[in-house]
Amino acid sequence: MVSTNPFGEFRSECEKLLRNAVNRLFPEVSLPKTVLEIPPSIELGELASSLCFELSKRIGEKPRSLAEKIAAEISSTPFTLVESVEAAGAGYVNFHVNLEKLASLTFESAEELDEDYGFVKAEAPLKIIVEHTSVNPLHPIHIGQARNPILGDSLAQILRKRGHTVSTHYYVDDVGRQTAIIAYGYEKLGRPKPEGKPDHFIGLIYTITNCIIEIERLKKEIKKAEELSLREDLAQLRRQLDDWVSVAAELREKHRNLFDKLLDEARKDENPEQAVNELNRRYEEGEETAKRLIREVADQCLEGFRKTFERVGIRFDSWDWESDFVWKSHVRKTLEKLKSTPYVFQSAGVLEFDAEKVADDFELKPKLGLRKDYEIPSLTLMRADGTTLYTTRDIAYSIWKLEKAEKVINVIGMEQTLAQLQLKLALYALGYGEQAENLVHFAYNLVTLPGYKMASRKGRYIAFDQVLDEAVEKAYAEVSKRSPHLSEEEKRAIAEFVGVGAVKYSLVEVDPAKPVVFTWERVLNFERNSAPYIQYTHARACSIMRKAARKPEKPDYKLLAQPVEHEIILMISRFPEIFIEAAENLKPNLIAEHANLLADKFNTFYNSLPVIKAQPPELSDARLSLVNATRIVLRNALTLIGVKAPEKM
RNA sequence: GGGCCCGUAGCCUAGUUUGGACAAGGCGCCGGCCUUCGGAGCCGGAGACCCUGGGUUCAAAUCCCAGCGGGCCCGCCA
């Protein structure tokens, strides 16, 4: 017997038994929704129902006595996976599973389905686009941004295994002032060949250029404020200037040549800020020299990103350049169309989108979970100089994505919630209301550093690459200590997947809605509740299988009578349900959690019970099946969160 | 000022969507394990008014209301 969802079979049986029993006993009562839950303790059974509490109100009988009647009624009918039913507590109906049958079904299914065990297919597979990461090509990916590709890639992997056709997209945001700034600096330096990893080199030029321009800009604004004696503005501007001046000092300290050269060159320009804006405008217009320059810079930066992605095993199916949507008129046409709706107005020379009015006219506030009295701010669509803003371009891009897929998931930080809302409302205004419902903003919370605020524009960040390096280095030290006999090459290879795995796990393990405070301690954890711990447990299970060097020929599953064995059988049988929940609710952290719990139980098992030498042979075989199924689930779970499952380490 | 997110042992987290039985792990702390298959491990112990106050309910960490604390957003940045 093979089942894609062994625990689900048990659950369905319990539901059916419960429903039939209640129908027979109380034909006049409509059944409350029968949700079965997992009891707090394993002694209470594997599934339980609290429907008697609800039923008691309708029937006017104590929950406990109802539970007893129902349990007795169910017990008079035949079972398959169910072992027994009983009334418990104040009125619960508890179901105990027939462990021998569940073990047999679970282990045989796991072995048979192997690399597909747990991956229950969706009834209606969809074409899904997962857009994730989309870090601007300005500087290396920092640790705050790194949560995005880790979550996004895991989501994509989970949805693929769920049977959907998933395409991962990277939106290259090469339009806008920021890319113009880096390109400006890059050109001033005479388009240098990158020293070291290109994204880090680009990042350095970006920070210095941005810093110089900001200082110039602030100085001018301060002068203006002085003339108009705007006291409050002045104080604030001066604070900002102080901050940038200290950034400049830090930068010049570390990179004197580059800094001084850029400063000299920038000073040759009457107004660097204006030059940047000019470049931005020319790029949007598709002017050739601007195109060549900015694409060259962006390409170099992306080349660096690709190296990082390769290292962490993340690939994109499509690289979508924002500028293409501008040049191919997608943006202009969207804007024209939007202008013809009653939701766009002029204000102080710029084009505004009235998101509030759309929400009202289409009565969308309750649907979008907004309060009636909340007034949605309007969105600026176009600058006075005719160039567009990020969200405007994103509207055009979103339409394109929604035309290519039935569902679009945008993995974007929660700080962009408002912009994503405005974007969605623009889709309604444009008549894409139906498609807008298929647009999901997967919002995750920020990664913060204790002590100071990360600011990529100020060059204050910890690069993802650096975190990976540290993790791999620590892993190397650990491997060298634990397995000195291994060759240098083997040690390096192990250190790589251990270190990378640890970092990925630390970012995927936490509920995406919760903020993560970055600490080295968290990321460099190789002990319990970490990728290395699960990897180690997997390698251990593999090792037992290797040593046994045989297939379980005649397992007798009823001999698996130890509590820990009981728990492991349950966890393996439940993996498909966990997977479904993770896929449907977009919660990769559930997978990490389940793998970790299984690893915990397996290690307890490992330390207390022999496998290969267990007697009689039927027990040894049954345990071997358990080890093998554990190995399969750990590996499949790790695959979903993008962590390598090694056979040795 | 308005909106969104977060608040669970000293620290980090699970559980909150879908209310159910004595709130579950990890780190750290204390005490044990050279138990045959891999010690990145195992066993035991101490440690929680689930931010506060109301409300709904047979039942609230979970739902509702009002606060408090922290973060984010409200830009002709992205």
Side-chain angles (χ1 to χ4, degrees):
Chain A
M1 272 274 282
V2 168
S3 166
T4 53
N5 186 356
F7 196 80
E9 310 276 346
F10 171 62
R11 185 184 288 274
S12 316
E13 189 184 340
C14 294
E15 264 168 23
K16 211 164 88 191
L17 290 169
L18 196 60
R19 203 169 335 118
N20 291 343
V22 174
N23 282 340
R24 279 198 302 275
L25 287 169
F26 314 104
E28 71 288 356
V29 177
S30 67
L31 198 69
K33 54 179 174 125
T34 56
V35 184
L36 288 161
E37 60 219 39
I38 290 169
S41 158
I42 205 157
E43 290 94 56
L44 296 169
E46 285 73 26
L47 279 175
S49 170
S50 55
L51 98 164
C52 291
F53 296 102
E54 187 69 24
L55 223 49
S56 123
K57 271 187 287 189
R58 305 186 194 184
I59 294 170
E61 201 175 323
K62 284 247 158 68
R64 174 73 198 204
S65 101
L66 283 173
E68 278 164 9
K69 280 186 187 163
I70 291 170
E73 176 64 22
I74 295 174
S75 300
S76 69
T77 60
F79 307 142
T80 45
L81 276 172
V82 172
E83 169 79 29
S84 65
V85 188
E86 66 191 15
Y92 296 92
V93 178
N94 290 354
F95 293 86
H96 293 262
V97 76
N98 180 318
L99 254 196
E100 182 188 357
K101 286 185 189 163
L102 183 69
S104 155
L105 181 65
T106 301
F107 295 162
E108 283 169 26
S109 300
E111 191 167 339
E112 181 64 30
L113 299 172
D114 198 6
E115 299 196 338
D116 220 29
Y117 177 70
F119 305 151
V120 183
K121 302 303 175 216
E123 281 174 27
L126 299 171
K127 273 189 81 172
I128 301 179
I129 285 179
V130 177
E131 184 215 316
H132 69 86
T133 308
S134 305
V135 170
N136 299 353
L138 307 169
H139 51 70
I141 298 167
H142 64 66
I143 189 61
Q145 298 167 318
R147 196 175 185 184
N148 191 315
I150 305 304
L151 285 171
D153 189 62
S154 181
L155 279 178
Q157 195 61 248
I158 289 169
L159 293 170
R160 264 188 206 117
K161 295 293 186 188
R162 186 80 172 117
H164 301 295
T165 304
V166 178
S167 181
T168 51
H169 287 234
Y170 190 113
Y171 186 45
V172 184
D173 181 19
D174 61 328
V175 182
R177 279 199 72 237
Q178 303 198 43
T179 13
I181 289 171
I182 165 63
Y184 173 84
Y186 178 75
E187 186 171 42
K188 289 290 173 202
L189 289 172
R191 303 192 177 199
K193 265 227 143 20
E195 297 161 19
K197 198 161 173 288
D199 48 336
H200 289 252
F201 183 68
I202 296 289
L204 182 58
I205 301 175
Y206 170 71
T207 306
I208 296 174
T209 310
N210 188 54
C211 181
I212 291 169
I213 291 174
E214 277 299 305
I215 288 175
E216 288 302 310
R217 183 182 67 82
L218 285 166
K219 279 182 182 164
K220 282 192 185 120
E221 287 209 17
I222 285 172
K223 203 182 252 173
K224 218 186 292 170
E226 277 168 349
E227 283 161 11
L228 299 166
S229 5
L230 300 166
R231 193 170 292 217
E232 278 176 31
D233 288 8
L234 205 52
Q236 208 200 337
L237 289 169
R238 283 194 173 128
R239 269 200 304 279
Q240 286 179 23
L241 181 62
D242 283 350
D243 194 21
W244 279 108
V245 168
S246 75
V247 171
E250 281 171 38
L251 288 168
R252 187 164 184 269
E253 171 102 14
K254 286 187 209 145
H255 312 281
R256 182 164 302 229
N257 287 342
L258 212 53
F259 190 97
D260 289 346
K261 189 163 178 208
L262 262 169
L263 189 60
D264 283 349
E265 292 297 328
R267 278 186 176 149
K268 287 182 193 158
D269 268 330
E270 183 87 358
N271 186 339
E273 198 195 352
Q274 202 181 324
V276 166
N277 290 344
E278 188 64 14
L279 182 57
N280 179 40
R281 197 186 50 72
R282 278 163 49 215
Y283 191 60
E284 267 203 48
E285 282 171 3
E287 193 246 355
E288 273 310 314
T289 54
K291 270 169 95 165
R292 268 201 302 277
L293 173 65
I294 290 183
R295 282 286 175 123
E296 186 177 321
V297 179
D299 271 328
Q300 296 203 16
C301 199
L302 291 176
E303 192 193 318
F305 290 177
R306 284 199 183 89
K307 285 204 175 98
T308 304
F309 295 140
E310 201 178 312
R311 186 174 191 191
V312 295
I314 292 175
R315 265 184 300 279
F316 289 90
D317 297 313
S318 178
W319 297 77
D320 308 333
W321 291 73
E322 189 179 27
S323 50
D324 285 337
F325 290 87
V326 175
W327 301 336
K328 285 190 297 193
S329 308
H330 285 70
V331 175
R332 187 179 53 76
K333 284 178 189 153
T334 304
L335 207 47
E336 291 302 321
K337 206 170 157 198
L338 208 49
K339 271 199 255 182
S340 71
T341 71
Y343 304 110
V344 174
F345 61 96
Q346 290 272 346
S347 166
V350 304
L351 219 51
E352 290 281 325
F353 169 64
D354 192 345
E356 169 68 14
K357 194 164 180 333
V358 177
D360 276 348
D361 287 0
F362 291 75
E363 289 170 5
L364 293 169
K365 282 189 185 172
K367 196 182 201 166
L368 297 169
L370 300 167
R371 294 188 177 213
K372 295 155 263 12
D373 52 354
Y374 168 61
E375 195 171 327
I376 305 166
S378 69
L379 170 73
T380 304
L381 294 167
M382 198 195 265
R383 295 189 184 94
D385 72 354
T387 58
T388 54
L389 284 113
Y390 173 79
T391 307
T392 311
R393 301 186 296 266
D394 205 7
I395 297 167
Y397 178 49
S398 295
I399 292 169
W400 180 81
K401 283 187 292 187
L402 287 162
E403 278 166 354
K404 292 182 78 105
E406 292 152 298
K407 188 169 182 174
V408 173
I409 298 174
N410 289 338
V411 181
I412 301 178
M414 56 150 256
E415 73 277 10
Q416 288 199 46
T417 303
L418 176 60
Q420 287 289 307
L421 173 68
Q422 291 164 327
L423 186 156
K424 192 173 253 195
L425 290 167
L427 294 179
Y428 278 98
L430 287 165
Y432 291 100
E434 210 174 300
Q435 289 89 327
E437 316 228 335
N438 302 322
L439 182 68
V440 178
H441 175 203
F442 179 88
Y444 60 93
N445 216 315
L446 264 48
V447 178
T448 54
L449 286 178
Y452 75 89
K453 204 167 135 62
M454 253 185 293
S456 39
R457 295 198 324 187
K458 293 177 182 165
R460 287 173 181 156
Y461 52 78
I462 298 179
F464 187 32
D465 289 325
Q466 188 196 338
V467 175
L468 293 171
D469 287 343
E470 298 261 3
V472 169
E473 198 177 310
K474 184 185 168 190
Y476 179 79
E478 290 290 323
V479 182
S480 306
K481 195 169 75 194
R482 293 164 200 278
S483 314
H485 59 281
L486 292 175
S487 72
E488 182 65 15
E489 199 183 340
E490 284 172 311
K491 282 191 264 187
R492 286 283 164 206
I494 293 167
E496 188 69 24
F497 68 68
V498 167
V500 170
V503 174
K504 291 178 93 172
Y505 186 92
S506 73
L507 292 174
V508 85
E509 166 222 11
V510 183
D511 181 339
K514 308 232 175 177
V516 167
V517 177
F518 177 89
T519 57
W520 287 104
E521 197 189 354
R522 180 199 283 275
V523 174
L524 299 183
N525 172 29
F526 292 178
E527 294 177 2
R528 266 185 267 187
N529 194 17
S530 73
Y533 174 66
I534 300 167
Q535 289 173 315
Y536 181 78
T537 309
H538 176 263
R540 214 176 210 186
C542 290
S543 169
I544 295 175
M545 298 310 294
R546 265 198 312 275
K547 288 247 162 65
R550 63 184 161 90
K551 291 248 174 207
E553 299 292 344
K554 37 176 183 169
D556 184 351
Y557 298 116
K558 73 173 172 298
L559 298 176
L560 299 176
Q562 300 295 323
V564 67
E565 292 171 325
H566 184 164
E567 291 189 80
I568 292 172
I569 294 164
L570 281 177
M571 288 185 137
I572 294 171
S573 74
R574 268 182 204 151
F575 178 58
E577 279 195 349
I578 304 282
F579 168 75
I580 294 169
E581 204 189 333
E584 295 310 302
N585 299 318
L586 307 180
K587 293 185 98 169
N589 52 309
L590 296 182
I591 302 292
E593 190 197 352
H594 192 71
N596 184 54
L597 287 174
L598 177 58
D600 268 346
K601 288 295 170 219
F602 183 77
N603 284 317
T604 300
F605 163 83
Y606 176 90
N607 273 275
S608 54
L609 302 168
V611 175
I612 296 170
K613 292 180 186 165
Q615 283 300 332
E618 289 78 13
L619 174 61
S620 177
D621 277 3
R623 285 191 179 150
L624 211 50
S625 292
L626 178 148
V627 173
N628 197 35
T630 303
R631 174 187 70 81
I632 289 166
V633 169
L634 289 180
R635 181 199 59 205
N636 290 1
L638 286 176
T639 304
L640 294 176
I641 55 172
V643 174
K644 189 182 167 176
E647 294 183 11
K648 293 178 183 173
M649 66 185 269

